[in-house]
Amino acid sequence: MNGVVEAVGVSKWYGEVLGLNAFTASFGKGITGLVGPNGAGKSTLFKLLIGQLHSDQGKITLLGENPWNNVPLKRRLGYCPEQNQLYGWLTGQQFVETLLRLDGMPAAESRKEATAALKVVGLSSAAHRPTRGYSRGMRQRAKLAQALAHHPEILILDEPLSGADPAGRVHILRTISEFAKDGGHVLMSTHVLYEIERVTNNIVLIHNGKAIASGNIHAIRALIDTHPHAVRIETSKPRQLAQALARMEHLVSFEFPAADTLLVRTRKPDAFYRELPQIVSDTKLDVRGLESPDDSLDAVFRYLVG
Amino acid sequence: MSITLPTYSRLEIPLLGRRQRVWAIIATGLRKELRRPAAIVVMALGAAFTTITSIAILFIATIIPSGQAPNLTFFSGPASNFFVLFFVSLMASVIGAGLIADDLQSMAFTLYLSRPITQLDYLLAKAAILAPLVAMVTILPLLLAALVAAFLGFFSWTIALEAMGISIVVGGLLTLFYTAITLFLSSLSRRKGIAGAGVFAVNFGLTIPAEVLTIVIGNRSILYLSPWDNYVAVATAAFGASSTGIDWAVALAILLGVTVLAALVTYVRMKAVEVITG
Amino acid sequence: MLVETAGLTKVFGEVRAVDDLTVKIPDGAIGLVGPNGAGKTTFLRLLLSLLRPTAGTAKVLGRDIEDGLAVRERIGYMPEHDCLIPDMTGVGLVSYMGRVSGLDRDTAMSRSHDVLQFVGVEEERYRKVAEYSTGMKQKVKLAQAMVHDPQLYIFDEPTTGLDPRGRSEMLDLVGTIAKSPGRNVILSSHLLPDVETICKYIVILDGGHQIAAGELSQLLSGATDRLRIDVRGDRDAFARLLKDAGFDADAGPSGLHVSRKPGLEAAVFETAKSLGAEVRYMGKEIRSLEELFLELVARTEKPGA
Amino acid sequence: MDWTGSFRKAWVVTGLTLRYLLTTRRAIATGLLALVPVILTLSLAAARVVTFDIVLFQQLMIPLFLQVVLIFVTLVNATALIREEIDDNTLPFLLTRPISKPALVAYKYIGYLVAVLVVLIPPIILAYGVTEAYGGLAFTADLDVLGGFLAATILGSAAYGALFLFISVLIRRPLAVGLLIGFVWESVVDSIPGDVPKLSVIHYLKTILKDVIAINPLGQYRTDVSAGVAAGILVAVSIALVVLAAFVFQQMEFRQKAG
C-alpha cells in the first residue's frame, strides 16, 4: 500500500443509481489519466478522494489517509471541479487569493502566490476582471490556478481541458506536466484521449463503476496487441503482397478495397508487425503506406467497453 | 451498441405565423401549471376560499338591514375581500415567480430567443399564462358570487349582470397589476424563491403599514402607498359605494402607472439579458 | 452566399467582441474556429439577430439580420451551454420548440418523433430531460434545432463534455446534416479534429477579426511532402540509420518525420528489419488544422490580449 | 489548536460571506425594503402629521419592521449561505480547503449576522431619529424604545437566521418553507390560545419590547416570561439551531447536478 491512491472494493450508490461498484485500483506517482465514458464513475471517484462523498462500501485512501471529513489532508491536495461556476462577483485574483488565505496563508503572501499562480496558468491579463465575464477556457485556468496556488502534493483535475481553446489546452497540459516534473502527483480525467497520451503513460480505464484496465499505457498497448486488428497497406501490387504475407499463420482474411490497397486482418498484431519488415524487404515489394484504425487508445477503449 | 442513422427528413409545409407561435407558449405553459401539484393546490384553495368568502360577505350585506334595497353597491364588499390579497400573493409566488426565473436558471431563455419570436412575444406569452390563473382569485369569485346571488333571488338579474361586468373590469385591473409586478420580480433573478419572497414583501411591506398608519393618524392619503387599497378604492367607486377616503381616479392612475412601469422595465431588462457562454 | 457581412462590429463596454468584420462565407459546411474570446459566440448571436450590431450590416441566407424573425425561421441553433427545460420530456420539448417556430401541433409532434429517431433518442424520449445523460441532452439539443427543418444549422461546440463514443455519434449526425443537399452548417468548435472531419471551408477569427478563411484543403496544403513513421523499437537508432542512408529524418513525439525521396519506403522496411523494430504507421504527414491554428494565432497575438 | 490560523480563516469566510451578501443584487432589494421605515417616517414628518410620536413609531415598526422587513431580510440572506453554494456548485472550492464543515457553517453564520445588521440597524436608528426630531425631542428622549428595537433586531436576526439556515441545510427549497413560517405562522400564531405562541420567534421579540419600553402599545400583550428570559431563550435557540445545521452539514454529501 504505497500508492498515491489506494482503493479496495469501493462502492458508492446514489439511491439506485450507480456511482462506483467494487472499484479497486492503485494509482502511482506522477500523472495518472482517468478515461471512461460519461457516467462511468470518474467524478464519483474524485469526490470520494476529496472527501465530499462517503463510500458505502470498501476502503479508499489518498496519500495514505482516509479523505472523508479529513481537514488536514485538504492542505495537501488541489482540486479542480468539472463545473464551471466560480464566484462571479470576485475577480480572478481575489478568487485565488481568498482561497489561499483559507489555507492559512497570510494576506501578503497569498497575494504574491495568487499572482504567481495566475501567471503560471496564463491568466495574468484578466486577473483583475470579475470572473463572471470569463469564458469557459478562462474559467478552467482560474480553477487550475486555485488548485495549484498552495503547492499541494496532489492535483485532482476533473475534465480540466473541456471548453479550453487549442492554445489553452496546450498551456494547461504544459502546466500539468511541469507540476508533475517538480515531484507533484496528478490525477486527471478527460474524454479527449489523444491529449492524455501527450502527458502521461499511466492511465486507468473506468467503466460502469469499475476499473477495467489500469497501468502503463504500454501495458494497455499490449492489450491492443492481442485483440484482432485490421491493417491497411498501400501498395502498387496488393495481390503479390497478399501472396507473400500468406505464410503468416495468424492472418484471418485479405481484402482488396481499392486497386492499390490491401486490407489484412490479423489475430496477432504484434507478431504481424514484427514479421512484416522482413517480408517486405525480402520480396522488394513496393509498400507506400501502412495504417491501422485499431491502433489507438480510442480503439482499445471501444474494444474493452464493447 | 451503435446507432444507425435514419435518413434526414424534410419538412414540406410552410410555418405558421407569430400568433400561433405565441399561442404555443401559452398553451404549453398553462398545461404545465395545471399539472403541477403545488400550483393546483394553491389554485383550488385560492379559488374556493375567495369564492366562498365573497359569497358570504355578499349575503351578510343583504341580511343586515341597512335601509337600502339590494343594489350594486353591495358588491363592493366581496370586491374588497381581504382573502383575495392573500391568495393573489400566494399564487403569484407559487406560479408566477418561476415563469421567467426558471428559464433564466435553465438558460432555456436562449432556446426561446433562437426561435422566430421576439422578446415582446415571449413576455406577452408569459403574461398570458399568469393572468388567467391570477384571475381565478381576482375575477372568478366576484362572478360566482353575483351568479349565486341572482339565482337565489337576492338581486335582480339586471343588477347581477351589471355587477359581473364591472367585476371583470375591476378584477382585470388587479390581475394586470399583479401579473406585471410578478413578471418583473421574476425577471430580476434566476432564483425563483427570491421573486416569490419579493411578491410577499411588496404586498405586506406596503399594505400593512399603510393600514396601520391610517387607523392611527386618521390621514387616509397614506393608503395610496398600498396597491391593495388603491384597488379597493377603484372597486368601491366602480360599484358606486361610498368612498374609502382616497380618490379613485388617483388610485387608478397609480395602479395603471405602476403596471405600465413594471412591464416596461421588464421588457427593457429582458432585451438586455445576455447569457454568458464564452 | 451563406453569410455576408460588411464592417460588422459589436462592442460590449470597452471590449470590441466583433471588430469591423467583413466576410463572405459560401454555402456548405463551414468551420468557425478561434481562441476563447475571439468573438465566435458574439458573431453567431449577431447572425441569429439576438444582438443588435453596433455598426455594420450582415446578411444570412440573403436576408438582412435586421429582420430577425425571417432569419431565425431559417436557422436551427444548438447552443453550447445547457439550455433544456428540465421538467419536460424529450419529445415534449422538441415538439414544443417546433410549435414556437411555427409548426402546427400535429406536424410538430410528428417531426419531433422523426428528429429524435434521427438523433438516436429512443425510449428515453418519454422521460424528463432532467434525467438524461450528457450525451442524451446533447442529442435533444440537436433535435430541437432540426425540428423546423432550417436551411442553416449553427452548432456551438456540439461535442463539449461528450465521451469518445458520444462524440463520434454527434459528429456522424452533424456530418449527415452537412451532407444533405440544401442544408448548411456552421460549426464552431475548439476541437479542431472535429472541424476537420465535418467542414470543407473554414473561417478563423481572433480578436473579432477574420485572420484566415478558405477551403480547408488549400489552407492545409502548405505542408511539404513528408512521411510520418510510427516506429516501435529503438526510435533514435532508426532515425540515425535513415540519416546515414541519406534521408533527413528527425524523431518527434508522434514518430519519425522524413522528407519523401525515392526509395524511402524500401529503406524504412530495410532499417526495421535490421533493427528488429516494428513499423506501426507509415503515411503522409498531414499538416493538421491545429498546427495551422496555433501558428496563425501566435502570429497575431497581441501582448496583454 | 492553532488559534491564529482559525481566526484568520474565520475572518476570510466571514469576509467572503459579507461580500456576497452585501455586494450582489440581493443587497439592493433587501436594502430598499429596509429603508421603507425611514421613508415612511420621513413622509409622515413631511406631511406634518399631528399624532406622529414615539407611540406611533412603535405601532408602525412592530407590524412593518418586525413582521415584514426583518423576516424578509433574514430569510433571503440566511437561506443563501449554504444552499446557494450547493445550487451554484461553488461549494467544492471551500470544501477542499483545510477548514472543517462545522467551522464553515459557524463562520458563514457570523458573516450573515454582520451583513443583516449592517442592513437593518441604520434604518431603525434613522427612523427613530426622525421621529424624535419631529417631536422636537432630544435623540436620547426615548432611548428605551430604541434599545428595545435594537435588541429585538439583533436577537430576531440571530434567531430567524439560525432557523432559516437550518431549514436551508435540510431541504432543497428553503425559501418556500421559510415564507410559510415567516409570513404565515409568525403572523397568525399570536391569535392562537394557550402556549402555542411560545413556538414562534415573534412572541419573544414582543415580550422583550413589552418589558423594556415604558410607553408601550404592547402593554396588554399576553406573555408570562420576562425580557431577560426571552432573550436567553432566543440566544439558546439560535445557538442550538446553528449547531444542528453544522451537524447536518457535516454529515451531508455533495453530489453535483447531473451532468
Side-chain angles (χ1 to χ4, degrees), chain A residues 12 14 47 52-54 68-69 71 74 83 85 87 89 94 98-99 101-104 146 150, chain D residues 8-9 12-13 19-20 85 88-90 93-95 97-99 101 250 253-256:
Chain A
K12 178 73 205 172
Y14 308 106
K47 292 203 149 19
Q52 222 170 298
L53 292 176
H54 188 68
W68 171 246
N69 276 348
V71 173
K74 307 240 160 104
Q83 265 67 17
Q85 286 97 332
Y87 295 111
W89 33 280
Q94 289 166 338
T98 307
L99 292 176
R101 287 174 62 198
L102 277 182
D103 270 298
Q146 65 82 26
H150 58 296
Chain D
R8 203 179 279 149
K9 285 174 202 164
V12 176
V13 176
R19 214 183 161 122
Y20 178 51
E85 292 228 30
D88 292 352
N89 286 318
T90 49
F93 295 121
L94 296 181
L95 291 186
R97 299 289 147 182
I99 176 168
K101 288 196 234 172
Q250 160 93 340
E253 297 182 292
F254 301 98
R255 206 189 148 190
Q256 287 151 338

Short mmCIF file of all heavy atoms in Angstrom, two decimals, chain A residues 12 14 47 52-54 68-69 71 74 83 85 87 89 94 98-99 101-104 146 150, chain D residues 8-9 12-13 19-20 85 88-90 93-95 97-99 101 250 253-256:
data_model
loop_
_atom_site.label_atom_id
_atom_site.label_comp_id
_atom_site.label_asym_id
_atom_site.label_seq_id
_atom_site.Cartn_x
_atom_site.Cartn_y
_atom_site.Cartn_z
N LYS A 12 -20.17 3.06 -4.29
CA LYS A 12 -20.94 4.26 -3.95
C LYS A 12 -22.21 4.25 -4.78
O LYS A 12 -22.16 4.11 -5.99
CB LYS A 12 -20.12 5.52 -4.25
CG LYS A 12 -20.85 6.81 -3.98
CD LYS A 12 -20.98 7.06 -2.50
CE LYS A 12 -22.17 7.94 -2.20
NZ LYS A 12 -22.42 8.04 -0.76
N TYR A 14 -26.02 6.20 -5.45
CA TYR A 14 -26.92 7.33 -5.19
C TYR A 14 -28.33 6.76 -5.30
O TYR A 14 -28.89 6.72 -6.38
CB TYR A 14 -26.75 8.43 -6.23
CG TYR A 14 -25.33 8.88 -6.42
CD1 TYR A 14 -24.61 8.51 -7.54
CD2 TYR A 14 -24.72 9.70 -5.46
CE1 TYR A 14 -23.31 8.94 -7.71
CE2 TYR A 14 -23.42 10.13 -5.65
CZ TYR A 14 -22.72 9.75 -6.77
OH TYR A 14 -21.44 10.17 -6.95
N LYS A 47 -14.77 12.74 -6.06
CA LYS A 47 -15.48 13.29 -4.90
C LYS A 47 -15.20 12.48 -3.65
O LYS A 47 -15.16 13.02 -2.55
CB LYS A 47 -16.96 13.34 -5.19
CG LYS A 47 -17.30 14.35 -6.25
CD LYS A 47 -18.71 14.78 -6.11
CE LYS A 47 -18.91 16.19 -6.57
NZ LYS A 47 -17.87 16.70 -7.43
N GLN A 52 -15.70 14.62 -0.29
CA GLN A 52 -17.01 15.23 -0.41
C GLN A 52 -18.11 14.17 -0.35
O GLN A 52 -19.25 14.47 -0.09
CB GLN A 52 -17.10 16.00 -1.71
CG GLN A 52 -17.78 17.32 -1.55
CD GLN A 52 -17.62 18.14 -2.80
OE1 GLN A 52 -16.52 18.49 -3.21
NE2 GLN A 52 -18.72 18.44 -3.44
N LEU A 53 -17.72 12.94 -0.63
CA LEU A 53 -18.66 11.83 -0.53
C LEU A 53 -18.05 10.80 0.40
O LEU A 53 -16.83 10.76 0.63
CB LEU A 53 -18.89 11.18 -1.90
CG LEU A 53 -19.62 11.98 -2.95
CD1 LEU A 53 -19.64 11.19 -4.25
CD2 LEU A 53 -21.03 12.30 -2.51
N HIS A 54 -18.89 9.96 0.91
CA HIS A 54 -18.50 8.94 1.85
C HIS A 54 -18.80 7.61 1.18
O HIS A 54 -19.90 7.40 0.71
CB HIS A 54 -19.37 9.12 3.11
CG HIS A 54 -18.96 8.26 4.23
ND1 HIS A 54 -17.78 8.43 4.89
CD2 HIS A 54 -19.57 7.24 4.84
CE1 HIS A 54 -17.68 7.54 5.84
NE2 HIS A 54 -18.75 6.80 5.83
N TRP A 68 -12.53 11.25 4.01
CA TRP A 68 -13.84 11.76 4.45
C TRP A 68 -13.71 12.66 5.67
O TRP A 68 -13.20 12.25 6.71
CB TRP A 68 -14.79 10.60 4.73
CG TRP A 68 -16.09 10.97 5.39
CD1 TRP A 68 -16.49 10.61 6.64
CD2 TRP A 68 -17.15 11.76 4.86
NE1 TRP A 68 -17.73 11.12 6.91
CE2 TRP A 68 -18.17 11.83 5.84
CE3 TRP A 68 -17.36 12.42 3.64
CZ2 TRP A 68 -19.36 12.53 5.66
CZ3 TRP A 68 -18.54 13.12 3.45
CH2 TRP A 68 -19.52 13.16 4.45
N ASN A 69 -14.14 13.90 5.53
CA ASN A 69 -14.06 14.91 6.59
C ASN A 69 -12.67 15.02 7.21
O ASN A 69 -12.52 15.29 8.40
CB ASN A 69 -15.09 14.63 7.69
CG ASN A 69 -16.45 15.19 7.31
OD1 ASN A 69 -16.56 15.97 6.36
ND2 ASN A 69 -17.48 14.83 8.05
N VAL A 71 -9.73 17.13 7.56
CA VAL A 71 -9.38 18.52 7.32
C VAL A 71 -7.89 18.72 6.98
O VAL A 71 -7.57 19.38 6.00
CB VAL A 71 -9.83 19.41 8.50
CG1 VAL A 71 -9.33 20.82 8.34
CG2 VAL A 71 -11.35 19.38 8.59
N LYS A 74 -6.66 18.23 3.39
CA LYS A 74 -7.05 19.17 2.33
C LYS A 74 -5.91 20.11 1.94
O LYS A 74 -5.85 20.59 0.83
CB LYS A 74 -8.24 20.00 2.80
CG LYS A 74 -9.38 19.14 3.29
CD LYS A 74 -10.64 19.34 2.49
CE LYS A 74 -11.57 18.18 2.65
NZ LYS A 74 -12.68 18.45 3.53
N GLN A 83 -17.45 21.45 -12.88
CA GLN A 83 -18.38 22.54 -13.12
C GLN A 83 -17.65 23.85 -13.35
O GLN A 83 -16.56 24.05 -12.84
CB GLN A 83 -19.33 22.71 -11.93
CG GLN A 83 -20.64 21.98 -12.10
CD GLN A 83 -20.47 20.48 -12.11
OE1 GLN A 83 -19.45 19.99 -11.69
NE2 GLN A 83 -21.47 19.76 -12.59
N GLN A 85 -18.83 26.99 -12.67
CA GLN A 85 -19.21 28.16 -11.89
C GLN A 85 -18.07 28.59 -10.97
O GLN A 85 -17.42 27.77 -10.34
CB GLN A 85 -20.45 27.87 -11.03
CG GLN A 85 -21.72 27.82 -11.83
CD GLN A 85 -22.10 26.41 -12.18
OE1 GLN A 85 -21.25 25.54 -12.31
NE2 GLN A 85 -23.39 26.18 -12.35
N TYR A 87 -17.07 32.12 -8.20
CA TYR A 87 -17.75 33.23 -7.53
C TYR A 87 -17.69 34.41 -8.48
O TYR A 87 -16.70 35.13 -8.54
CB TYR A 87 -17.04 33.56 -6.22
CG TYR A 87 -17.11 32.45 -5.20
CD1 TYR A 87 -15.99 31.73 -4.85
CD2 TYR A 87 -18.32 32.14 -4.61
CE1 TYR A 87 -16.07 30.71 -3.91
CE2 TYR A 87 -18.41 31.12 -3.68
CZ TYR A 87 -17.28 30.41 -3.33
OH TYR A 87 -17.36 29.40 -2.41
N TRP A 89 -18.71 37.28 -8.62
CA TRP A 89 -18.56 38.64 -8.12
C TRP A 89 -17.15 38.92 -7.62
O TRP A 89 -16.86 40.00 -7.12
CB TRP A 89 -19.60 38.91 -7.02
CG TRP A 89 -19.89 37.68 -6.23
CD1 TRP A 89 -20.72 36.65 -6.58
CD2 TRP A 89 -19.31 37.30 -4.99
NE1 TRP A 89 -20.70 35.67 -5.64
CE2 TRP A 89 -19.85 36.04 -4.65
CE3 TRP A 89 -18.41 37.90 -4.12
CZ2 TRP A 89 -19.51 35.38 -3.48
CZ3 TRP A 89 -18.08 37.23 -2.97
CH2 TRP A 89 -18.62 35.98 -2.66
N GLN A 94 -8.78 37.96 -6.72
CA GLN A 94 -9.43 37.84 -5.41
C GLN A 94 -9.83 36.40 -5.13
O GLN A 94 -9.71 35.93 -4.00
CB GLN A 94 -10.68 38.72 -5.37
CG GLN A 94 -10.39 40.20 -5.31
CD GLN A 94 -11.63 41.02 -5.62
OE1 GLN A 94 -12.57 40.52 -6.25
NE2 GLN A 94 -11.64 42.26 -5.20
N THR A 98 -8.36 34.63 -1.94
CA THR A 98 -9.24 34.26 -0.84
C THR A 98 -9.06 32.79 -0.46
O THR A 98 -8.94 32.45 0.71
CB THR A 98 -10.70 34.48 -1.26
OG1 THR A 98 -10.83 35.80 -1.73
CG2 THR A 98 -11.64 34.26 -0.09
N LEU A 99 -9.01 31.94 -1.48
CA LEU A 99 -8.89 30.52 -1.19
C LEU A 99 -7.53 30.21 -0.57
O LEU A 99 -7.41 29.34 0.29
CB LEU A 99 -9.12 29.71 -2.47
CG LEU A 99 -10.57 29.79 -2.97
CD1 LEU A 99 -10.73 29.06 -4.29
CD2 LEU A 99 -11.53 29.21 -1.95
N ARG A 101 -5.90 32.21 1.38
CA ARG A 101 -5.94 32.64 2.77
C ARG A 101 -6.70 31.63 3.62
O ARG A 101 -6.43 31.48 4.80
CB ARG A 101 -6.55 34.04 2.86
CG ARG A 101 -5.59 35.09 2.33
CD ARG A 101 -6.20 36.45 2.26
NE ARG A 101 -6.59 36.94 3.56
CZ ARG A 101 -7.45 37.94 3.75
NH1 ARG A 101 -8.01 38.51 2.71
NH2 ARG A 101 -7.76 38.32 4.96
N LEU A 102 -7.63 30.93 3.00
CA LEU A 102 -8.32 29.88 3.74
C LEU A 102 -7.39 28.72 4.07
O LEU A 102 -7.65 27.92 4.95
CB LEU A 102 -9.50 29.34 2.93
CG LEU A 102 -10.77 30.14 3.03
CD1 LEU A 102 -11.86 29.48 2.23
CD2 LEU A 102 -11.19 30.26 4.48
N ASP A 103 -6.28 28.63 3.32
CA ASP A 103 -5.29 27.62 3.65
C ASP A 103 -4.45 28.07 4.84
O ASP A 103 -3.56 27.35 5.26
CB ASP A 103 -4.37 27.39 2.45
CG ASP A 103 -4.91 26.31 1.56
OD1 ASP A 103 -5.03 25.19 2.03
OD2 ASP A 103 -5.25 26.61 0.41
N GLY A 104 -4.70 29.27 5.31
CA GLY A 104 -3.96 29.75 6.46
C GLY A 104 -2.77 30.61 6.08
O GLY A 104 -1.91 30.90 6.90
N GLN A 146 -6.35 28.07 -8.70
CA GLN A 146 -6.66 27.90 -7.29
C GLN A 146 -6.25 26.52 -6.79
O GLN A 146 -5.95 26.33 -5.62
CB GLN A 146 -8.13 28.20 -6.99
CG GLN A 146 -9.18 27.27 -7.59
CD GLN A 146 -9.40 26.00 -6.81
OE1 GLN A 146 -9.19 25.95 -5.61
NE2 GLN A 146 -9.81 24.94 -7.51
N HIS A 150 -1.50 26.74 -3.71
CA HIS A 150 -0.96 26.45 -2.39
C HIS A 150 0.05 25.31 -2.42
O HIS A 150 0.35 24.73 -1.39
CB HIS A 150 -2.09 26.17 -1.41
CG HIS A 150 -2.98 25.03 -1.82
ND1 HIS A 150 -3.75 25.06 -2.95
CD2 HIS A 150 -3.21 23.83 -1.26
CE1 HIS A 150 -4.43 23.93 -3.06
NE2 HIS A 150 -4.11 23.16 -2.05
N ARG D 8 -7.86 33.56 11.44
CA ARG D 8 -7.65 34.06 10.09
C ARG D 8 -8.70 33.49 9.13
O ARG D 8 -9.29 34.18 8.32
CB ARG D 8 -6.25 33.66 9.64
CG ARG D 8 -5.71 34.55 8.56
CD ARG D 8 -4.31 34.10 8.17
NE ARG D 8 -3.29 34.57 9.08
CZ ARG D 8 -2.16 33.89 9.32
NH1 ARG D 8 -1.96 32.71 8.77
NH2 ARG D 8 -1.26 34.37 10.13
N LYS D 9 -8.96 32.17 9.27
CA LYS D 9 -9.93 31.54 8.39
C LYS D 9 -11.33 32.11 8.65
O LYS D 9 -12.09 32.36 7.71
CB LYS D 9 -9.94 30.03 8.61
CG LYS D 9 -8.74 29.36 8.01
CD LYS D 9 -8.73 27.89 8.39
CE LYS D 9 -7.33 27.33 8.27
NZ LYS D 9 -7.23 26.06 8.98
N VAL D 12 -11.64 35.29 6.89
CA VAL D 12 -11.78 35.18 5.44
C VAL D 12 -13.20 34.73 5.06
O VAL D 12 -13.85 35.32 4.20
CB VAL D 12 -10.74 34.20 4.85
CG1 VAL D 12 -10.96 34.03 3.37
CG2 VAL D 12 -9.35 34.70 5.12
N VAL D 13 -13.70 33.69 5.73
CA VAL D 13 -15.03 33.18 5.38
C VAL D 13 -16.08 34.24 5.68
O VAL D 13 -16.98 34.49 4.88
CB VAL D 13 -15.35 31.88 6.14
CG1 VAL D 13 -16.77 31.42 5.83
CG2 VAL D 13 -14.36 30.80 5.77
N ARG D 19 -19.23 39.95 1.72
CA ARG D 19 -19.10 40.48 0.39
C ARG D 19 -20.20 39.95 -0.53
O ARG D 19 -20.77 40.68 -1.32
CB ARG D 19 -17.76 40.01 -0.13
CG ARG D 19 -17.12 40.98 -1.01
CD ARG D 19 -15.85 40.36 -1.50
NE ARG D 19 -15.50 41.12 -2.65
CZ ARG D 19 -14.37 41.76 -2.77
NH1 ARG D 19 -13.48 41.70 -1.82
NH2 ARG D 19 -14.13 42.44 -3.85
N TYR D 20 -20.48 38.66 -0.38
CA TYR D 20 -21.50 38.06 -1.22
C TYR D 20 -22.86 38.67 -0.91
O TYR D 20 -23.62 39.05 -1.79
CB TYR D 20 -21.54 36.54 -0.99
CG TYR D 20 -22.60 35.82 -1.78
CD1 TYR D 20 -22.70 36.02 -3.15
CD2 TYR D 20 -23.48 34.95 -1.17
CE1 TYR D 20 -23.66 35.36 -3.89
CE2 TYR D 20 -24.45 34.29 -1.91
CZ TYR D 20 -24.53 34.50 -3.27
OH TYR D 20 -25.49 33.85 -3.99
N GLU D 85 -24.71 28.05 -2.47
CA GLU D 85 -23.42 27.50 -2.90
C GLU D 85 -23.59 26.08 -3.41
O GLU D 85 -22.89 25.65 -4.32
CB GLU D 85 -22.42 27.52 -1.73
CG GLU D 85 -22.02 28.92 -1.35
CD GLU D 85 -20.52 29.08 -1.20
OE1 GLU D 85 -19.78 28.36 -1.89
OE2 GLU D 85 -20.09 29.92 -0.39
N ASP D 88 -25.15 26.45 -6.87
CA ASP D 88 -24.23 27.01 -7.86
C ASP D 88 -22.98 26.16 -8.05
O ASP D 88 -22.10 26.53 -8.82
CB ASP D 88 -23.79 28.41 -7.44
CG ASP D 88 -24.94 29.40 -7.50
OD1 ASP D 88 -26.00 29.02 -8.01
OD2 ASP D 88 -24.77 30.54 -7.05
N ASN D 89 -22.87 25.05 -7.32
CA ASN D 89 -21.69 24.20 -7.43
C ASN D 89 -20.40 24.91 -7.06
O ASN D 89 -19.35 24.61 -7.63
CB ASN D 89 -21.54 23.66 -8.85
CG ASN D 89 -22.53 22.58 -9.13
OD1 ASN D 89 -22.77 21.73 -8.30
ND2 ASN D 89 -23.14 22.63 -10.30
N THR D 90 -20.45 25.89 -6.18
CA THR D 90 -19.21 26.54 -5.79
C THR D 90 -18.68 25.98 -4.47
O THR D 90 -17.59 26.34 -4.05
CB THR D 90 -19.40 28.06 -5.65
OG1 THR D 90 -20.54 28.30 -4.85
CG2 THR D 90 -19.57 28.70 -7.00
N PHE D 93 -14.98 24.52 -3.80
CA PHE D 93 -13.82 25.39 -3.58
C PHE D 93 -13.56 25.57 -2.08
O PHE D 93 -12.42 25.60 -1.65
CB PHE D 93 -14.04 26.76 -4.23
CG PHE D 93 -14.12 26.68 -5.72
CD1 PHE D 93 -15.24 27.14 -6.40
CD2 PHE D 93 -13.09 26.14 -6.47
CE1 PHE D 93 -15.33 27.06 -7.78
CE2 PHE D 93 -13.16 26.05 -7.84
CZ PHE D 93 -14.29 26.51 -8.49
N LEU D 94 -14.63 25.70 -1.32
CA LEU D 94 -14.45 25.87 0.13
C LEU D 94 -14.16 24.53 0.80
O LEU D 94 -13.38 24.46 1.74
CB LEU D 94 -15.70 26.49 0.75
CG LEU D 94 -16.03 27.91 0.29
CD1 LEU D 94 -17.26 28.42 1.00
CD2 LEU D 94 -14.86 28.83 0.56
N LEU D 95 -14.81 23.48 0.30
CA LEU D 95 -14.67 22.19 0.97
C LEU D 95 -13.33 21.53 0.71
O LEU D 95 -12.98 20.57 1.38
CB LEU D 95 -15.81 21.26 0.54
CG LEU D 95 -17.18 21.66 1.04
CD1 LEU D 95 -18.21 20.60 0.69
CD2 LEU D 95 -17.17 21.89 2.54
N ARG D 97 -10.59 23.11 1.13
CA ARG D 97 -9.63 23.88 1.93
C ARG D 97 -9.57 23.28 3.32
O ARG D 97 -10.57 22.70 3.78
CB ARG D 97 -10.06 25.34 2.01
CG ARG D 97 -10.14 26.02 0.67
CD ARG D 97 -8.76 26.24 0.09
NE ARG D 97 -8.81 26.12 -1.37
CZ ARG D 97 -7.74 26.22 -2.13
NH1 ARG D 97 -6.55 26.42 -1.60
NH2 ARG D 97 -7.83 26.10 -3.44
N PRO D 98 -8.47 23.45 4.00
CA PRO D 98 -8.36 22.84 5.33
C PRO D 98 -9.19 23.58 6.37
O PRO D 98 -8.68 24.30 7.21
CB PRO D 98 -6.86 22.95 5.64
CG PRO D 98 -6.37 24.06 4.80
CD PRO D 98 -7.22 24.06 3.57
N ILE D 99 -10.48 23.41 6.27
CA ILE D 99 -11.37 24.05 7.22
C ILE D 99 -12.54 23.09 7.39
O ILE D 99 -13.06 22.54 6.43
CB ILE D 99 -11.80 25.44 6.68
CG1 ILE D 99 -12.81 26.09 7.59
CG2 ILE D 99 -12.39 25.34 5.29
CD1 ILE D 99 -13.02 27.55 7.25
N LYS D 101 -16.21 21.47 8.17
CA LYS D 101 -17.53 21.90 7.72
C LYS D 101 -18.30 22.63 8.83
O LYS D 101 -18.91 23.66 8.55
CB LYS D 101 -18.32 20.70 7.20
CG LYS D 101 -17.79 20.19 5.86
CD LYS D 101 -18.80 19.28 5.20
CE LYS D 101 -18.18 17.96 4.84
NZ LYS D 101 -19.15 16.98 4.38
N GLN D 250 -22.21 18.62 8.31
CA GLN D 250 -21.03 17.78 8.47
C GLN D 250 -21.26 16.40 7.87
O GLN D 250 -20.38 15.82 7.26
CB GLN D 250 -20.71 17.67 9.97
CG GLN D 250 -19.84 16.51 10.38
CD GLN D 250 -18.38 16.92 10.40
OE1 GLN D 250 -18.00 17.89 9.78
NE2 GLN D 250 -17.56 16.18 11.10
N GLU D 253 -23.52 14.82 2.04
CA GLU D 253 -22.66 14.54 0.90
C GLU D 253 -23.10 15.44 -0.24
O GLU D 253 -24.26 15.79 -0.36
CB GLU D 253 -22.80 13.08 0.48
CG GLU D 253 -22.35 12.14 1.57
CD GLU D 253 -22.43 10.70 1.12
OE1 GLU D 253 -23.54 10.22 0.95
OE2 GLU D 253 -21.39 10.10 0.93
N PHE D 254 -22.14 15.82 -1.06
CA PHE D 254 -22.48 16.76 -2.11
C PHE D 254 -22.25 16.16 -3.47
O PHE D 254 -21.13 15.86 -3.85
CB PHE D 254 -21.70 18.05 -1.94
CG PHE D 254 -22.00 18.67 -0.64
CD1 PHE D 254 -21.18 18.50 0.44
CD2 PHE D 254 -23.19 19.33 -0.47
CE1 PHE D 254 -21.50 19.01 1.66
CE2 PHE D 254 -23.53 19.84 0.75
CZ PHE D 254 -22.69 19.69 1.81
N ARG D 255 -23.31 16.03 -4.15
CA ARG D 255 -23.28 15.49 -5.47
C ARG D 255 -23.59 16.64 -6.39
O ARG D 255 -24.48 17.44 -6.09
CB ARG D 255 -24.39 14.47 -5.55
CG ARG D 255 -24.18 13.41 -6.53
CD ARG D 255 -25.46 12.64 -6.62
NE ARG D 255 -25.54 12.18 -7.96
CZ ARG D 255 -26.61 11.63 -8.47
NH1 ARG D 255 -27.68 11.51 -7.73
NH2 ARG D 255 -26.61 11.22 -9.69
N GLN D 256 -22.87 16.73 -7.48
CA GLN D 256 -23.19 17.81 -8.40
C GLN D 256 -24.49 17.47 -9.09
O GLN D 256 -24.93 16.34 -9.09
CB GLN D 256 -22.11 17.93 -9.46
CG GLN D 256 -20.86 18.51 -8.91
CD GLN D 256 -19.66 18.00 -9.66
OE1 GLN D 256 -19.72 16.95 -10.29
NE2 GLN D 256 -18.59 18.71 -9.60
#
